[in-house]
């Protein structure tokens, strides 16, 4: 027969474990929501909302695709929200607004306290005369950090499929 203290302790441990699991699931869902918000706001040209998905010191690395503001000779990397804004708000990207769709899929998310990593795939479709085209297929890696009680993207890596890993 269990004594009362042991039963109370077991219940307290179960409640604590359930709270940890709930927090983990909430964090995973928040990351999925953040990634969707990142994609939607870029697609719609809502650049201020797009910037709100990034940390101040974020790093965005993109390979195999020329985009104004993204120096291809330097590994296609921009640093900080200001440089990211310049890249995403360029005329080249502006021509795609409301005609592109970022499909960020197959996210595998690992959470470690206030930090997390997600790897996945990006399929970028683009409305063209007569239909749609696949504009890009990439592998993605995103780093997240909790700041001010909410998760933000601290690093984005978009690597062209088939590209040699660095």
């Amino acid at each position: 027969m269990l004594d009362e203290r042991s039963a109370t302790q077991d219940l307290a441990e179960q409640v604590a474990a359930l709270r940890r699991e709930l927090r983990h699931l909430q964090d995973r869902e928040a990351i999925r929501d953040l990634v969707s918000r990142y994609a939607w706001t870029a697609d719609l040209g809502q650049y201020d909302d797009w910037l709100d998905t990034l940390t101040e010191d974020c790093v965005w690395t993109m390979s195999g695709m020329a985009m104004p503001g993204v120096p291809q000779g330097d590994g296609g990397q921009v640093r900080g929200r200001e440089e990211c804004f310049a890249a995403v708000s360029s005329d080249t990207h502006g021509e795609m607004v409301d005609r592109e769709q970022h499909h960020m899929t197959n996210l595998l998310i690992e959470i470690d306290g206030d930090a997390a990593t997600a790897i996945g795939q990006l399929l970028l479709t683009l409305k063209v005369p007569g239909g749609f085209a696949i504009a890009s297929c990439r592998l993605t890696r995103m780093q997240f950090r909790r700041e001010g009680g909410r998760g933000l993207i601290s690093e984005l890596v978009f690597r062209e499929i088939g590209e040699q890993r660095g």
Side-chain angles (χ1 to χ4, degrees):
M1 180 174 210
L2 291 175
D3 67 34
E4 196 171 303
R5 189 172 23 177
S6 177
T8 302
Q9 186 176 15
D10 288 346
L11 181 58
E13 289 171 4
Q14 290 174 0
V15 168
L18 287 171
R19 283 185 176 155
R20 285 190 301 274
E21 182 64 21
L22 178 59
R23 175 63 184 254
H24 183 78
L25 293 171
Q26 288 172 324
D27 286 347
R28 290 173 61 85
E29 187 59 26
I31 288 169
R32 289 183 196 287
D33 183 68
L34 181 63
V35 170
S36 294
R37 188 170 314 284
Y38 167 88
W40 273 100
T41 55
D43 294 345
L44 297 174
Q46 298 170 346
Y47 303 132
D48 289 337
D49 292 335
W50 182 82
L51 277 178
D52 284 343
T53 67
L54 308 174
T55 61
E56 286 291 333
D57 63 345
C58 65
V59 177
W60 181 15
T61 305
M62 185 182 333
S63 65
M65 182 173 160
M67 188 169 171
V70 180
Q72 293 303 304
D74 192 23
Q77 192 170 88
V78 293
R79 296 177 170 275
R81 293 174 86 194
E82 191 172 306
E83 287 184 17
C84 288
F85 179 81
V88 79
S89 65
S90 69
D91 289 342
T92 300
H93 184 262
E95 293 173 11
M96 296 187 297
V97 167
D98 249 356
R99 297 183 326 126
E100 70 178 338
Q101 292 179 327
H102 288 76
H103 303 271
M104 313 275 291
T105 65
N106 300 329
L107 293 178
L108 301 175
I109 301 169
E110 296 292 329
I111 298 172
D112 184 14
D114 285 341
T117 301
I119 59 171
Q121 297 163 328
L122 165 64
L123 176 68
L124 180 66
T125 58
L126 188 62
K127 175 80 168 121
V128 295
F132 293 87
I134 295 174
S136 183
C137 294
R138 298 184 174 279
L139 301 175
T140 65
R141 181 176 50 78
M142 303 173 104
Q143 300 284 335
F144 307 89
R145 191 169 63 224
R146 192 181 329 267
E147 290 184 356
R150 66 185 190 118
L152 297 170
I153 300 166
S154 59
E155 183 180 1
L156 300 141
V157 177
F158 295 143
R159 184 171 58 82
E160 194 170 46
I161 291 175
E163 177 181 290
Q164 179 90 16
R165 290 183 197 202

